[in-house]
Amino acid sequence: PVMKDSPFTEKFFTQTLDHFNFNSFGNGTFCQRYLISDKFWQNGSGPVFFYTGNEGDISDFALNSGFILELAEQQGALVIFAEHRYYGASLPFGKDSFSRPLVGLLTVEQALADYAVMITELKQQLQADNCPVIVFGGSYGGMLSVYMRLKYPNIVTGALAASAPILSTAGVGDPRQFFRDVTADYEAVSPQCSAAVRAAFQQLQDLAAQYRRIQSAFALCQPPSAPRDIHQLNGLLRNAFTFMAMLDYPYSTHFMGNMPAHPVKMGCDIMLRGPDLLANLRDTAAIVYNSSTPLSCFDLYNLYVECADPTGCGLGPNSLAWDYQACTEVELCFESNNVTDMFPPMSFSQADRRRYCSERWGVTPRPGWLRLQFWGDALSSASNIIFSNGDLDPWANGGVRRSLSSSLIAINIPEGAHHLDLRGANDEDPESVVRARKQEAELIAGWIQISAPILDTDPGLSSSTE
Amino acid sequence: PVMKDSPFTEKFFTQTLDHFNFNSFGNGTFCQRYLISDKFWQNGSGPVFFYTGNEGDISDFALNSGFILELAEQQGALVIFAEHRYYGASLPFGKDSFSRPLVGLLTVEQALADYAVMITELKQQLQADNCPVIVFGGSYGGMLSVYMRLKYPNIVTGALAASAPILSTAGVGDPRQFFRDVTADYEAVSPQCSAAVRAAFQQLQDLAAQYRRIQSAFALCQPPSAPRDIHQLNGLLRNAFTFMAMLDYPYSTHFMGNMPAHPVKMGCDIMLRGPDLLANLRDTAAIVYNSSTPLSCFDLYNLYVECADPTGCGLGPNSLAWDYQACTEVELCFESNNVTDMFPPMSFSQADRRRYCSERWGVTPRPGWLRLQFWGDALSSASNIIFSNGDLDPWANGGVRRSLSSSLIAINIPEGAHHLDLRGANDEDPESVVRARKQEAELIAGWIQISAPILDTDPGLSSSTE
């Protein structure tokens, strides 16, 4: 079992290594992990709820997406959480997976083909041929859910894409949007809060090369010794505010590290605690970096690693994979500029990206490719997709915020952070997320009802020709 | 110019070698050929008619798809004929293109990405950002047109897929259908005709190992010396009947070799000419194999090459590429059995295919992949596609023969052979193809009219979010 009293069983699927080249790895395969629960399934007739795993261990997503199980209980669904290739326990080449050219099989297209093949084969194994499939995903996983419905509607009846920034990651929109919206969360607590953050960063800048004072002010394990270290410190601090904004849930969570309830509010309380702005800034960052084990000092380069994602890649092997994806297909050229946001000016242009990715991975990013391949904002011919977003989430405005048709539904959750709606019900849930989950449940039930008679997703059926 | 007085200019597009792996050929490119004509284009506002090139030199398709130019004149369209990678002058690695592993970049997915990228970039170059794109294709090219609309509706507004066997090539349907329908064409001329063909093949079989008599009867350059040679002779003969059925046009053509008007009728006249059935069979096959230069004798292995496509791969480098595609994604396991058709029993099972393709190309075919990837008969969520088929064409019943919705239109042409409707107007055209072209023109005009205001195909537009 993945977790104590877990309804899930951990299994491995024999997956094709390369779906797009018959002469690269021949018919080579790897073991792809998935978690499955038939606890609530109406055998052979209930729908299949399939979580399109994103950039992490699949068990973390299963543990933090309780809504899917709650919905499965309501609707008699089989639940599958599939792990994304190159993450968690699904490394195609073990510890060599991130060497070149082996890392080249890490693409969005390969991941989608993995899910399409897995769904098709598991349905056959489980005699679920006639069962409609609904895909679920949060963040990048939500993008994958959208893409599954766009590219494989023969396999997927509908998608719930929670906090899926399909536009900003495809180069559509304003590169200033993300950190502007992080800032807005603190501004919303009180204008004094964002002003204090801005002033604190200014004090840090004014200290310039007074490295000893900076070390003591921020309790750094080593004193900075070059502008590069100050840049790293700024990145580490900005990242703390980003995380608290993304994960600004009304109760404490253990999703991406440990986070107290209402971290943004707590951060603002600390920022406004006393006159020592640098101490306040340090203690606010500690909400994130001190959350697991209390640290005697902050290590600039161990707590935060700069990568091709200005919002943070995290640490460990999963962060390697994500860095590679941000260097190839996923465009995250977000900037802070201290004008439209409260942070120091830190830009990440396509030129910066090209330089970094060529050195780090020997690849050339392909701006515009994700938009070309997955339609950008030209979604009018798509159907059966819910785009849910929380207004507290800095990713929200990089996604679809207005319904595009009667079957492309935007659900906005005023008091919601990053895919709060995918989390299980909680006493602290704001009314808006309770309403959102109810609406999502109704829309999904409707898709299932309509699709059930349409048997053309059944591989066993005869063709529509004479 | 490609042809005398051609409206087309030949150009080359710098195309990405591998769209699906950032570490294989880096950002390597190759020169992809295309033919372009703005002769009829309403600059910057008229639609773009884009032919998704299939398994041959693009100039052959341009020369034999006059309808597209005639329609362009009516609708003020820019016309582009794009050549499929690994065919014609678009060999990514020159003469090494068919060596391993270089041939691995020959896939349907790469070809579609080529067209999506080419359309997007050419529209920008030509300031045609707001111009709707209609894709056209015949046979495998028609399959590609369908796939473009399924996978890239953000780029393609609609598709005319002429004689596109999207079902039979995806393993949907009856493997006996193709040669059954070839037989039906001769049966339709007269039951005596197909009976004579059947009897002639029987006589050949009765001759068993009388190789000298077989050589003289069929004017073979060398006498057969083994059952393998007789198998080859049967394949060569069956192939002649297949070609005449596919290319049974009401006037002489020079598309795939030279073909007289009404070749099936002519073949039947010869089959019923006299009592010497073997001579009649030989002279009927000569309609195909003797059409270019009169031969003093038939060379079994130079006139016809057995491959992974039982309907024939043709000769030359283009046939190599097609053989590889039939060994990987395109499923052509068609059989003749002498029961549902008039030919000797010749089967090509998935096991035969696996064996041949592993020896020939070192690849393992992937049955079911094309269906999974391009939806098979699960097309209900698609739109704006015309599936045209001619009843004389043995490929027709491997395609979509009944309209699936108000925007998935099947047009059947009783007197039509293989994509006759794509050919330019001809005095000998049957009424049914004239009607079909008129209906196609109206449907396409309708798509363009509706799509014009919808600017979401315009890469320059702002996102649909706030």
Side-chain angles (χ1 to χ4, degrees):
Chain A
V2 187
M3 46 199 122
K4 191 157 162 309
D5 315 320
S6 167
F8 290 104
T9 310
E10 179 185 63
K11 296 193 170 185
F12 288 85
F13 182 83
T14 302
Q15 185 60 265
T16 298
L17 268 173
D18 192 343
H19 297 283
F20 301 107
N21 188 324
F22 285 75
N23 281 87
S24 58
F25 293 87
N27 44 354
T29 59
F30 72 100
C31 292
Q32 181 172 23
R33 177 165 64 167
Y34 65 100
L35 310 177
I36 186 164
S37 171
D38 60 5
K39 181 174 177 186
F40 305 113
W41 194 34
Q42 289 166 6
N43 261 10
S45 66
V48 178
F49 290 172
F50 188 93
Y51 186 92
T52 53
N54 38 311
E55 72 279 25
D57 288 46
I58 194 59
S59 49
D60 292 340
F61 301 116
L63 275 164
N64 289 278
S65 307
F67 172 60
I68 297 172
L69 273 179
E70 292 164 9
L71 198 64
E73 185 164 18
Q74 288 173 37
Q75 305 192 356
L78 176 70
V79 179
I80 297 170
F81 277 75
E83 190 164 71
H84 192 297
R85 58 166 57 197
Y86 285 83
Y87 292 93
S90 300
L91 302 180
F93 305 99
K95 56 174 178 39
D96 300 332
S97 296
F98 301 105
S99 66
R100 305 171 209 171
L102 298 181
V103 68
L105 295 184
L106 171 54
T107 66
V108 173
E109 290 81 1
Q110 298 276 10
L112 296 173
D114 288 342
Y115 296 147
V117 167
M118 185 188 282
I119 291 169
T120 304
E121 293 191 16
L122 290 183
K123 280 181 74 173
Q124 282 162 8
Q125 287 175 28
L126 298 162
Q127 278 100 49
D129 284 343
N130 297 346
C131 303
V133 175
I134 308 297
V135 284
F136 297 76
S139 197
Y140 169 55
M143 291 163 58
L144 295 174
S145 290
V146 172
Y147 301 164
M148 284 300 289
R149 176 59 188 170
L150 299 185
K151 297 291 197 175
Y152 297 101
N154 52 319
I155 295 172
V156 166
T157 296
L160 170 54
S163 304
I166 60 167
L167 300 171
S168 59
T169 57
V172 179
D174 183 344
R176 300 168 303 180
Q177 169 267 320
F178 187 86
F179 290 108
R180 181 197 71 206
D181 290 353
V182 173
T183 301
D185 285 348
Y186 296 84
E187 189 110 23
V189 171
S190 78
Q192 292 78 358
C193 177
S194 49
V197 174
R198 187 185 290 268
F201 274 109
Q202 185 58 54
Q203 277 196 20
L204 168 56
Q205 195 195 315
D206 296 342
L207 284 177
Q210 300 176 52
Y211 293 137
R212 286 269 163 221
R213 284 193 53 191
I214 292 170
Q215 176 183 21
S216 63
F218 288 95
L220 303 179
C221 303
Q222 276 87 35
S225 63
R228 178 170 177 284
D229 298 336
I230 303 304
H231 173 80
Q232 175 73 10
L233 175 57
N234 279 315
L236 175 146
L237 294 167
R238 187 181 68 172
N239 188 242
F241 287 92
T242 299
F243 261 59
M244 293 187 285
M246 274 173 61
L247 306 174
D248 192 26
Y249 300 120
Y251 50 88
S252 69
T253 56
H254 312 281
F255 178 37
M256 300 158 89
N258 302 313
M259 197 59 79
H262 298 295
V264 169
K265 171 81 174 56
M266 175 186 274
C268 284
D269 292 344
I270 295 173
M271 283 309 301
L272 298 171
R273 199 166 45 189
D276 186 342
L277 289 182
L278 294 183
N280 297 345
L281 185 56
R282 177 198 62 218
D283 296 343
T284 303
I287 295 174
V288 171
Y289 297 112
N290 231 352
S291 60
S292 316
T293 47
L295 302 167
S296 57
C297 64
F298 289 145
D299 184 310
L300 271 182
Y301 292 95
N302 284 350
L303 291 174
Y304 172 72
V305 176
E306 201 171 25
C307 70
D309 179 354
T311 74
C313 281
L315 305 165
N318 289 336
S319 70
L320 278 185
W322 183 245
D323 187 36
Y324 181 81
Q325 294 200 259
C327 269
T328 50
E329 298 181 284
V330 181
E331 295 181 42
L332 294 160
C333 291
F334 300 159
E335 69 162 52
S336 60
N337 52 49
N338 200 244
V339 177
T340 52
D341 55 71
M342 65 191 180
F343 300 110
M346 285 187 268
S347 70
F348 187 64
S349 68
Q350 286 289 0
D352 298 328
R353 184 186 179 214
R354 211 162 39 247
R355 199 176 310 107
Y356 169 83
C357 296
S358 150
E359 286 169 16
R360 177 63 187 84
W361 295 102
V363 296
T364 306
R366 219 173 155 187
W369 170 252
L370 206 68
R371 179 180 192 165
L372 180 151
Q373 185 74 339
F374 300 109
W375 313 5
D377 55 358
L379 298 166
S380 55
S381 64
S383 61
N384 291 9
I385 303 174
I386 299 167
F387 301 94
S388 68
N389 282 288
D391 293 359
L392 301 180
D393 181 10
W395 291 105
N397 291 327
V400 176
R401 297 283 265 162
R402 298 187 198 151
S403 296
L404 303 174
S405 75
S406 59
S407 71
L408 294 173
I409 310 290
I411 296 181
N412 297 317
I413 306 165
E415 298 124 319
H418 204 43
H419 49 73
L420 171 63
D421 50 330
L422 288 186
R423 303 187 60 83
N426 185 292
D427 295 343
E428 304 303 320
D429 277 332
E431 185 48 35
S432 60
V433 77
V434 176
R435 261 200 321 276
R437 292 190 187 120
K438 192 162 172 302
Q439 189 184 354
E440 290 164 0
E442 284 160 5
L443 286 165
I444 289 166
W447 295 338
I448 292 168
Q449 204 170 17
I450 292 161
S451 80
I454 297 169
L455 292 176
D456 65 6
T457 55
D458 175 354
L461 278 198
S462 68
S463 87
S464 55
T465 63
E466 55 172 61
Chain B
V2 187
M3 45 199 123
K4 191 157 160 311
D5 313 323
S6 166
F8 289 105
T9 308
E10 180 185 62
K11 296 193 170 183
F12 289 85
F13 182 83
T14 302
Q15 186 59 264
T16 298
L17 268 173
D18 192 342
H19 297 282
F20 302 107
N21 188 324
F22 285 75
N23 281 88
S24 59
F25 294 87
N27 45 353
T29 59
F30 72 100
C31 292
Q32 181 172 23
R33 178 165 63 168
Y34 65 100
L35 310 177
I36 185 165
S37 172
D38 59 5
K39 181 175 177 185
F40 304 115
W41 193 34
Q42 290 166 5
N43 262 10
S45 66
V48 177
F49 289 172
F50 188 93
Y51 185 93
T52 53
N54 39 311
E55 72 278 27
D57 288 44
I58 193 61
S59 49
D60 292 341
F61 300 117
L63 274 164
N64 289 278
S65 307
F67 172 60
I68 297 171
L69 272 180
E70 293 164 8
L71 198 64
E73 185 164 19
Q74 288 173 38
Q75 306 192 355
L78 176 70
V79 179
I80 297 170
F81 277 75
E83 190 163 71
H84 192 298
R85 58 166 57 197
Y86 285 83
Y87 292 94
S90 300
L91 303 179
F93 306 99
K95 58 174 175 40
D96 300 331
S97 296
F98 301 105
S99 66
R100 305 172 207 169
L102 298 182
V103 69
L105 295 185
L106 171 53
T107 65
V108 174
E109 289 81 1
Q110 298 275 11
L112 296 173
D114 288 342
Y115 296 147
V117 168
M118 186 188 281
I119 290 169
T120 304
E121 292 193 17
L122 290 183
K123 280 181 74 173
Q124 283 163 7
Q125 286 175 27
L126 298 162
Q127 279 100 48
D129 284 341
N130 297 346
C131 303
V133 176
I134 307 297
V135 285
F136 296 77
S139 198
Y140 168 54
M143 291 163 58
L144 295 175
S145 291
V146 173
Y147 300 164
M148 283 300 289
R149 176 60 189 170
L150 300 185
K151 297 291 197 174
Y152 297 100
N154 53 319
I155 295 172
V156 165
T157 297
L160 170 54
S163 304
I166 60 167
L167 301 171
S168 58
T169 57
V172 179
D174 183 344
R176 300 168 303 182
Q177 168 268 323
F178 186 86
F179 290 109
R180 182 197 71 205
D181 290 354
V182 173
T183 301
D185 285 348
Y186 296 85
E187 190 109 23
V189 171
S190 78
Q192 292 79 358
C193 177
S194 49
V197 174
R198 188 185 290 268
F201 273 108
Q202 186 58 53
Q203 275 195 21
L204 169 55
Q205 195 196 314
D206 296 342
L207 284 178
Q210 301 176 51
Y211 294 137
R212 287 267 162 223
R213 283 192 54 190
I214 292 169
Q215 176 182 22
S216 62
F218 288 94
L220 304 178
C221 304
Q222 276 87 34
S225 63
R228 179 169 176 287
D229 298 337
I230 302 303
H231 173 80
Q232 174 72 11
L233 174 58
N234 278 316
L236 174 147
L237 294 167
R238 187 181 70 173
N239 188 243
F241 287 92
T242 299
F243 262 58
M244 293 188 286
M246 274 174 60
L247 305 174
D248 192 25
Y249 300 120
Y251 49 88
S252 70
T253 56
H254 311 281
F255 178 37
M256 300 159 87
N258 302 314
M259 198 57 80
H262 297 296
V264 168
K265 171 80 176 55
M266 176 185 273
C268 284
D269 291 345
I270 295 173
M271 283 311 300
L272 299 170
R273 199 164 46 187
D276 186 342
L277 289 181
L278 294 183
N280 298 346
L281 186 54
R282 177 199 62 219
D283 296 342
T284 303
I287 295 174
V288 171
Y289 297 112
N290 230 353
S291 60
S292 316
T293 49
L295 304 166
S296 56
C297 65
F298 289 145
D299 184 310
L300 273 182
Y301 292 95
N302 284 352
L303 291 174
Y304 171 72
V305 175
E306 203 171 24
C307 70
D309 178 355
T311 74
C313 280
L315 306 166
N318 289 336
S319 70
L320 277 185
W322 184 244
D323 187 36
Y324 181 81
Q325 294 199 261
C327 269
T328 49
E329 298 181 284
V330 181
E331 294 179 44
L332 294 160
C333 291
F334 301 159
E335 70 163 51
S336 62
N337 52 49
N338 199 244
V339 178
T340 53
D341 56 69
M342 66 190 181
F343 300 111
M346 285 186 268
S347 70
F348 187 64
S349 68
Q350 287 288 2
D352 298 328
R353 184 185 178 214
R354 211 162 39 246
R355 201 176 308 107
Y356 169 83
C357 297
S358 148
E359 287 170 14
R360 176 64 187 84
W361 295 104
V363 296
T364 306
R366 219 174 155 186
W369 170 253
L370 206 68
R371 180 180 191 165
L372 181 151
Q373 185 74 338
F374 300 110
W375 312 5
D377 55 359
L379 297 167
S380 55
S381 63
S383 62
N384 291 10
I385 303 174
I386 299 167
F387 302 94
S388 69
N389 282 288
D391 293 359
L392 302 180
D393 181 10
W395 291 105
N397 291 326
V400 176
R401 297 283 264 162
R402 297 189 198 150
S403 296
L404 304 174
S405 75
S406 59
S407 71
L408 295 173
I409 310 290
I411 296 180
N412 297 316
I413 307 166
E415 298 125 319
H418 203 42
H419 48 73
L420 171 62
D421 50 329
L422 288 186
R423 302 186 62 82
N426 184 292
D427 295 343
E428 304 303 319
D429 278 331
E431 184 49 34
S432 59
V433 78
V434 176
R435 261 200 320 278
R437 292 190 187 120
K438 192 162 170 307
Q439 189 184 353
E440 290 163 0
E442 286 160 4
L443 286 164
I444 290 166
W447 295 338
I448 292 168
Q449 205 170 14
I450 292 162
S451 81
I454 297 170
L455 292 176
D456 66 6
T457 54
D458 175 355
L461 277 198
S462 69
S463 86
S464 55
T465 63
E466 52 176 58

